[in-house]
Structure formats: C-alpha cells, structure tokens
Amino acid sequence: MAISLTSFLLPICLFISLARTATLTYDFDVAWTHANPDGQYNRPVIGINGQWPIPSIVATKGDQVIVNVKNSLRNESTSLHFHGLYMNGTTHMDGPVAVTQCGILPGSSFTYNFTIDQPGTYWYHSHVRGQYPDGLRGPLIVKDPENPFKGQYDEEVVLTFSDWYHESMPKLMSGFISIANPSGAEPVPQAALVNDTQNLSVKIEPGKTYMFRMINIGAFAAQYVWFEDHTMRIVEVDGIYTEPMDAEMLYVTAAQRYSVLVTAKNDTSSNFAFVGSMDEDLFDVFPDGLNPNVTGWLVYDDTKAKPEAKLIDSFDSQFDDFTLVPYDKESIYSNVDQSITLDMKMDNLNDGANYAFFNDITYVAPKVPTLYTTLSTSANATNPLIYGYNTNPFVLSQNQVVEIILNNDDPGKHPFHLHGHAFQVIARSEEEAGAFDPNNATQIAFAATPIRRDTVLVRPNGHIVLRFQSNNPGIWLFHCHLEWHMASGLAITLIEAPLTLQSQLSGKIPQDHWDVCKAGDVPVVGNAAGNTVDVLDLTGENKSPGELPAGFTGRGIVALVFSCLSAFVGMAVIGWYGLKPIEKKTK
Ligand SMILES: *[C@@H]1O[C@H](CO)[C@@H](O)[C@H](O)[C@H]1NC(C)=O
Ligand SMILES: *[C@@H]1O[C@H](CO)[C@@H](O)[C@H](O)[C@H]1NC(C)=O
Ligand SMILES: *[C@@H]1O[C@H](CO)[C@@H](O)[C@H](O)[C@H]1NC(C)=O
Ligand SMILES: *[C@@H]1O[C@H](CO)[C@@H](O)[C@H](O)[C@H]1NC(C)=O
Ligand SMILES: *[C@@H]1O[C@H](CO)[C@@H](O)[C@H](O)[C@H]1NC(C)=O
Ligand SMILES: *[C@@H]1O[C@H](CO)[C@@H](O)[C@H](O)[C@H]1NC(C)=O
Ligand SMILES: *[C@@H]1O[C@H](CO)[C@@H](O)[C@H](O)[C@H]1NC(C)=O
Ligand SMILES: *[C@@H]1O[C@H](CO)[C@@H](O)[C@H](O)[C@H]1NC(C)=O
Ligand SMILES: *[C@@H]1O[C@H](CO)[C@@H](O)[C@H](O)[C@H]1NC(C)=O
Ligand SMILES: [Cu+2]
C-alpha cells in the first residue's frame, strides 16, 4: 500500500533531467554574396549572414528550434524547408511555398519555430521553385544522447556532397522549361563538390573510429561515394538507425543521407583519397572537359603526399540500400487502408515545353496555399476537389496505413521524397521491370522488416512501393527531389487528416505567416482558386498549359522548334541546351 517517497520521486527526477532541452535560436539574414567553390568560376550565391557555405543547424533531440529568417535577397522570395523533420503538429513550419506558407518577399521576415523529436542527419534548404541550388542549402544535424552506436565511434564529421552550376537558377530554369528544350534535357552541372569545395582534407588520427554524416545537398546528380582502402559501416539512413552493414561504395541520390562508421588505420604511413563521382546516367549530354569527380583525403600525416584517386572500372560494388534493416526492426505495415497508384511520365504540353506527370497531371501551385484552404473550408476540407486539379491532391484519413505504388514510365532515375514522414520501402524493382503487379508472387514477397527512409530512388522504367502511417496531420508534398523535375511538376499533395489539422491549427498560425501573404497579395481563404462562396467552384484556378492536340507529338515539336529557332532565336540557344531527339538517354 505505502508507496515509498523515493520510488515516487525517482521517475519525476528522471523526467526532469531528460526534459532539460534547449531552445536554439538562429538569426538568418539571407542575401546574395559571391563564391567560387570549384575554382573555375566566381558567381553570385545565396548566403546567410554574409557567409557561404551557409551555417549548419545543430540541435539535440528534444530541442526547440527558432529560425528567424530575414529575406535580404532583393530580387527573389524565399522560404526554408527542414528536410526529413516530421514537423508533427507544426506543418505550417514545413516550408514549401504555396503548400504550407506564402513566399517570404524581399524585405520581409518570417520565423520558423518547431520542436525536433527525432535524431539523425538532415538538411535544410529553400523550398521556392528552383532556388536551393543557388546555394541556400546546408546540414541539419540532430544529436542523440541515446544513440545506440555512441560507444562505437570517437568523433563525427559532416560531409556534404553536391553538384554545382556556374549559371544561376532563374536563367537555367527559364531555358529548361521552354519550347527551346522540348526533350526536357536537364542542364548538366559544371562540377562536383564536397563541403562546397574540392580537395578537402579530413584530419584522421590513427586507430580512431569516425562517424561520417554524408548528405547529398545537390540539385540533380546522384553521387557514388567511396573511401579508398577503408570500409564504411552504415548505421543510419535519412534519420533512421539501421542494423550495421558494411559497404565499399554508396550511391547517394540528391537529398539522401547516410551515417557510416569508418575505422582509421593504426599507422600514419600514407594518406587516402575519397571520391564523390556524379552518376553520368542522368546527364543527357556529357560536355567535354567535365570532371564528374570530386576528391578529398583522409589525412593521417599532412607532411605526406595526397595521392590522386585511383580510377575504378565500374560502379558495380555500390551498396543496395533496399537490403538495409531498421535498427528498431519495425515490422511491415501489413493491412493497407488506402493505396495510391502513381504512374509517372514526361511529356510535352501545348506550350511546347516538357513537363513531368503523375497520372497525367503536372503539379501547378494553387492560388491559395493548400494549408490555408484546409483551414478555411470547414467540413469541405475532406473533399479533394477543393484543392484544385493541378495540385494533384489526395486526402488521407488519420491513423491509416497508406501505400504509394509508383510506376516509372520514364527511362530516367528519380529520387522521391515525402515530407512529414519516413516510409517503408517494401518493393523496389530493377530497371525495365515495368509497373508493379500485385498478382506477381515474386513482387509481393515483401521483407518482414523493410528499410525506412524519406528519399528513395526508383529505377528507369521500374517501380517502388512505399508504406507509411498517417499519424501526422499536415499538408505534405511527395515529389521528385531533382530540382528540375520538381519544377516541371513531378509532385502530388497529401492532405493528411484535414479535420484534425483544423482543430490543431485554427487560430494558431502566427501573424508573420499572414503578413507575408498580405505583402505578396496572396489570398489565404477559400479553395485553390480563392473562391469562398462556393468552394466547389474552381473557376479561375491555376492550370497547366493544355495538352498537345491529338497526333501532335514531341517529335513534331522538335521539328517545329528547329524551324522556329533557326528563324528567330539563333544557334546560341541550341548549343547551350543541346537540342536532341525526344528520347532520353537509355543505357
Ligand atoms: C582540386 O585539385 C584539382 C587537381 O589538382 C584541381 O584541378 C582543382 O582545380 C582543385 N579544386 C579547387 C577548388 O581548388
Ligand atoms: C537575382 O540576383 C542574383 C544576383 O545578381 C542573380 O544571380 C539572380 O539570377 C537574380 N534572380 C532573378 C530572378 O533574376
Ligand atoms: C514558439 O512556439 C512555442 C509553442 O507554440 C511558443 O510558446 C513560443 O512563444 C514560440 N516562440 C517564438 C519565438 O515564436
Ligand atoms: C564539412 O562541413 C561541415 C559543415 O557543413 C563541417 O561541420 C565539417 O567539419 C566539414 N568537414 C571538414 C572535414 O572540414
Ligand atoms: C589496430 O590495432 C588494434 C590493437 O592492436 C587492433 O585491435 C585493430 O584491429 C587494429 N586496427 C586496424 C584497422 O588494423
Ligand atoms: C572519374 O572517376 C571515374 C571512376 O574512377 C573514372 O572512370 C573517370 O575517368 C573519372 N573522370 C575523370 C575526368 O577523372
Ligand atoms: C514477376 O516479377 C518478376 C520480378 O519483377 C519478373 O522477373 C517476372 O517476369 C514477373 N512474372 C510475371 C509472370 O510477370
Ligand atoms: C505525431 O504525434 C502523435 C501524437 O503525439 C503521435 O501519435 C504520432 O506517432 C506522431 N507522428 C510522427 C510521424 O511522429
Ligand atoms: C461544402 O461547400 C458547399 C459549397 O460551398 C456547401 O454548399 C456545403 O454546405 C459545404 N459542405 C460542407 C459539409 O461544409
Ligand atoms: Cu525526377
């Protein structure tokens, strides 16, 4: 009967000591500066507080993070997305413009305020169309006092990998989505970077074990990554701890992260190269003189030579992330409540440009940010129609198992990212396997404890099947993380538990969110078209260009463009974007 005082107080003391979390405040003044990270070309880049590379955000699990953003860019709006964070209860802090907020106009300020309840390796970047590759992207690290691998390494080192363009994004983007580029050939980067530089030295002490947190913060190119004569032991992907697995080489797509343990040699007799090598399969053209590789060194002794990276013959030793097992051994979510099939393709619309489609719909941002449509339409918020045709909306009920079947009807590789969740990757085909077939016994032999992550590659003309639980009310994009394809519309909008979202957030959106909308004359109530009287009337909504007339093919556009271009535009444009037949490169 008598509960002793100590057994009563002990849990409270524990609670107090665990709950001693910090509030971290970052003041970010976002402005243009200049940098020349590849040593070939000095160009404008988007910096923070006059600094580029931009600072890392480093928190501990449980911390509250405040990021005060001032937009001093003068000529562009901005926003920040915290890639991989669930933003549970704070979907309005997720960052994508026209989805959960309005763009922060030049001269305006905006505060992100959220609590981080998950450990791991993340990054943050602009979520304004096409903006982050101009430099507004950096690491976001969440330390974990209970990291299960804590005793197994001595130090941790962050390494970012990235592609790099010399031209600025607004100019590249207008050339990319254009009648002058009907095949949708993506601009090819000029260089690869590690930590926004090249020839990086990483100081290594013999015998120590390092945890490298590797992040691909690039726009387009995936990178093969390897450390010569050192094995990587994978312990985390995209914020999910894994059963340790050894790898000689990783394939890291744009937006993916890996933490690996690397044990140093016991002697300092030489230094070792490590390499990031951009996957050239993604490039429609391979310009003369492009070096797809970036080299750095594990430096044991800085008086000794830094040997050139050894050339390798193939990338066959790349690790297959599909074989990873989550450390928590969470079982497959077996009873699917809602299954969404997405057939993706690339095609032309009648403006002659090339677009990307899910189920024949290319994403176009709505007039009213989707979250504000949810918050202002009461019971109609559960009706997908009100969110507009071109946002490609799917409404999810709360606490269900949701499945996404994605069939890639395109010869390209695409890394897909879901906001607000990590998903189980329950199937991922080889290339050319075609659409997922639920009646094929081989394809539905799912793993019992599938890997979870937030960004996954679908192979050329192959498929992936993902599952997650709708336990996070919010407005979440699911999209290709190649910035070119995001801009050409490869996105859907998930409206998760809209009525719960209304009860969580109605009246709670901070004033500065409304202020940036007002400054930009963006409507904040009603359906996607801003209609408040009859929310089922979408008249005036933003739409994509129309379809090509039947029988008028991409090839027809190529022919048309050749004749138009030679008449009006001149050969310079052709040279720059590499006009070529409509088929993308296949292997
Ligand atoms: C890195 O070293 C290579 C080889 O010496 C050189 O070509 C390249 O310009 C260097 N990169 C930078 C940013 O200095
Ligand atoms: C804004 O200015 C920067 C720096 O001069 C430039 O690189 C960028 O392209 C400009 N943006 C637009 C939309 O013109
Ligand atoms: C951040 O959000 C918390 C919880 O909603 C609130 O108490 C706090 O005042 C906010 N801080 C800032 C700086 O907005
Ligand atoms: C690479 O950059 C990150 C920040 O982006 C920094 O924390 C880390 O120390 C750098 N690594 C090296 C080896 O300089
Ligand atoms: C370094 O030396 C220790 C102690 O002799 C040994 O256990 C370990 O395996 C060695 N490490 C390597 C990478 O050779
Ligand atoms: C880049 O590295 C790969 C793999 O080692 C090699 O095949 C290729 O020749 C390298 N390219 C250049 C320009 O060094
Ligand atoms: C079932 O799927 C496997 C793996 O994708 C494939 O190799 C096989 O041809 C398929 N079988 C049938 C009958 O379609
Ligand atoms: C969000 O919070 C709710 C309530 O605390 C919890 O049940 C749910 O699992 C969380 N979702 C995620 C994605 O962490
Ligand atoms: C939904 O909107 C329509 C048209 O604006 C309205 O007539 C209807 O009452 C609304 N339904 C609910 C459940 O709010
Ligand atoms: Cu893509």
Side-chain angles (χ1 to χ4, degrees):
M1 273 296 196
I3 301 168
S4 88
L5 194 61
T6 43
S7 69
F8 178 68
L9 282 180
L10 192 61
I12 297 179
C13 299
L14 264 179
F15 176 75
I16 290 169
S17 68
L18 288 178
R20 208 194 294 127
T21 56
T23 299
L24 304 177
T25 302
Y26 291 88
D27 293 322
F28 282 176
D29 189 1
V30 178
W32 291 102
T33 176
H34 276 80
N36 182 4
D38 62 359
Q40 301 177 50
Y41 192 78
N42 192 43
R43 53 155 291 180
V45 294
I46 302 179
I48 289 180
N49 304 336
Q51 214 183 306
W52 192 90
I54 61 174
S56 301
I57 295 177
V58 182
T60 301
K61 185 170 177 262
D63 284 351
Q64 183 173 9
V65 176
I66 313 275
V67 184
N68 297 311
V69 176
K70 176 165 196 300
N71 181 357
S72 300
L73 289 174
R74 294 169 179 270
N75 66 348
E76 293 180 17
S77 290
T78 195
S79 84
L80 292 181
H81 168 58
F82 306 88
H83 183 117
L85 297 191
Y86 302 143
M87 292 289 170
N88 199 345
T90 51
T91 190
H92 55 303
M93 299 298 179
D94 193 45
V97 168
V99 181
T100 59
Q101 68 165 88
C102 296
I104 310 168
L105 288 183
S108 290
S109 295
F110 187 100
T111 295
Y112 293 94
N113 176 358
F114 50 90
T115 300
I116 303 185
D117 261 324
Q118 52 191 131
T121 309
Y122 304 90
W123 60 305
Y124 72 101
H125 61 80
S126 162
H127 221 295
V128 166
R129 175 191 165 92
Q131 189 174 64
Y132 83 75
D134 277 340
L136 192 48
R137 74 273 186 290
L140 190 169
I141 307 300
V142 188
K143 309 228 172 182
D144 181 8
E146 282 128 47
N147 180 346
F149 301 101
K150 191 164 52 176
Q152 297 180 32
Y153 62 89
D154 303 291
E155 283 180 35
E156 55 177 84
V157 180
V158 175
L159 295 177
T160 66
F161 291 81
S162 174
D163 46 20
W164 189 246
Y165 292 91
H166 289 167
E167 190 51 80
S168 81
M169 287 301 284
K171 184 140 180 225
L172 289 174
M173 196 57 87
S174 61
F176 170 61
I177 299 180
S178 143
I179 190 169
N181 184 31
S183 71
E186 301 84 2
V188 175
Q190 275 72 39
L193 306 175
V194 170
N195 267 23
D196 287 319
T197 184
Q198 296 176 331
N199 308 318
L200 179 76
S201 288
V202 182
K203 185 90 195 84
I204 296 294
E205 288 180 43
K208 279 194 172 175
T209 297
Y210 292 81
M211 182 168 82
F212 289 105
R213 296 180 182 267
M214 305 198 284
I215 314 171
N216 186 335
I217 61 173
F220 181 40
Q223 294 203 29
Y224 298 96
V225 176
W226 66 95
F227 294 81
E228 288 184 1
D229 289 313
H230 291 71
T231 298
M232 297 177 272
R233 174 160 289 193
I234 302 167
V235 294
E236 180 225 323
V237 283
D238 298 358
I240 306 293
Y241 291 123
T242 67
E243 286 292 299
M245 280 183 93
D246 286 353
E248 298 306 323
M249 177 189 288
L250 296 179
Y251 182 81
V252 190
T253 74
Q256 287 185 329
R257 293 90 63 205
Y258 284 86
S259 285
V260 298
L261 303 183
V262 173
T263 296
K265 303 201 177 292
N266 279 334
D267 64 85
T268 59
S269 55
S270 51
N271 300 323
F272 296 86
F274 67 90
V275 183
S277 183
M278 296 193 289
D279 179 3
E280 298 168 23
D281 284 359
L282 287 94
F283 303 162
D284 283 59
V285 291
F286 195 80
D288 286 343
L290 170 65
N291 184 353
N293 307 322
V294 56
T295 303
W297 286 277
L298 300 179
V299 177
Y300 285 79
D301 179 348
D302 51 22
T303 65
K304 294 207 166 73
K306 294 172 181 166
E308 245 183 82
K310 297 181 193 111
L311 297 185
I312 57 165
D313 298 333
S314 85
F315 297 108
D316 291 349
S317 64
Q318 68 184 278
F319 181 84
D320 181 0
D321 62 319
F322 190 59
T323 62
L324 287 165
V325 172
Y327 186 81
D328 62 15
K329 303 264 177 43
E330 188 187 53
S331 329
I332 185 167
Y333 311 137
S334 46
N335 297 311
V336 175
D337 299 296
Q338 183 173 0
S339 183
I340 296 170
T341 298
L342 301 174
D343 295 325
M344 68 156 280
K345 66 166 191 189
M346 308 294 202
D347 205 352
N348 300 85
L349 290 176
N350 74 13
D351 63 349
N354 193 272
Y355 292 88
F357 302 81
F358 275 131
N359 302 343
D360 297 322
I361 299 172
T362 185
Y363 180 90
V364 178
K367 285 187 171 160
V368 175
T370 302
L371 174 62
Y372 303 154
T373 292
T374 303
L375 296 184
S376 63
T377 52
S378 54
N380 273 308
T382 57
N383 184 347
L385 291 178
I386 69 168
Y387 297 102
Y389 181 79
N390 278 104
T391 63
N392 219 341
F394 292 84
V395 173
L396 309 179
S397 308
Q398 197 167 1
N399 293 327
Q400 308 242 294
V401 172
V402 181
E403 176 179 80
I404 294 178
I405 299 170
L406 190 157
N407 299 316
N408 178 8
D409 192 12
D410 176 81
K413 300 175 183 172
H414 305 268
F416 282 96
H417 169 51
L418 175 59
H419 290 222
H421 295 273
F423 42 69
Q424 294 183 336
V425 184
I426 65 164
R428 188 183 63 195
S429 77
E430 295 302 322
E431 57 184 82
E432 306 304 324
F436 174 67
D437 174 4
N439 298 315
N440 180 323
T442 314
Q443 291 186 14
I444 59 172
F446 304 133
T449 52
I451 186 56
R452 298 196 307 281
R453 62 184 315 167
D454 64 43
T455 307
V456 67
L457 181 84
V458 63
R459 296 197 173 109
N461 293 108
H463 60 259
I464 46 176
V465 182
L466 316 175
R467 287 183 187 168
F468 63 95
Q469 289 176 314
S470 52
N471 57 8
N472 190 10
I475 311 297
W476 310 117
L477 283 183
F478 174 76
H479 65 92
C480 179
H481 219 292
L482 306 186
E483 194 61 357
W484 307 112
H485 298 170
M486 178 65 192
S488 59
L490 202 43
I492 63 169
T493 309
L494 299 179
I495 297 106
E496 181 171 331
L499 301 182
T500 307
L501 197 52
Q502 289 174 353
S503 62
Q504 282 181 356
L505 291 184
S506 283
K508 300 224 177 81
I509 305 289
Q511 187 57 39
D512 57 348
H513 293 230
W514 304 124
D515 291 346
V516 291
C517 299
K518 190 144 190 267
D521 269 329
V522 179
V524 294
V525 288
N527 65 18
N531 295 335
T532 53
V533 179
D534 179 359
V535 296
L536 303 180
D537 175 8
L538 274 297
T539 308
E541 69 174 313
N542 293 338
K543 299 273 265 182
S544 60
E547 282 174 33
L548 280 175
F552 197 73
T553 62
R555 277 192 186 285
I557 294 181
V558 175
L560 176 79
V561 165
F562 268 115
S563 55
C564 290
L565 276 182
S566 48
F568 302 114
V569 183
M571 297 311 286
V573 180
I574 298 178
W576 184 248
Y577 292 106
L579 267 187
K580 51 198 294 285
I582 201 82
E583 267 84 22
K584 300 288 218 62
K585 188 169 106 183
T586 50
K587 290 221 299 178

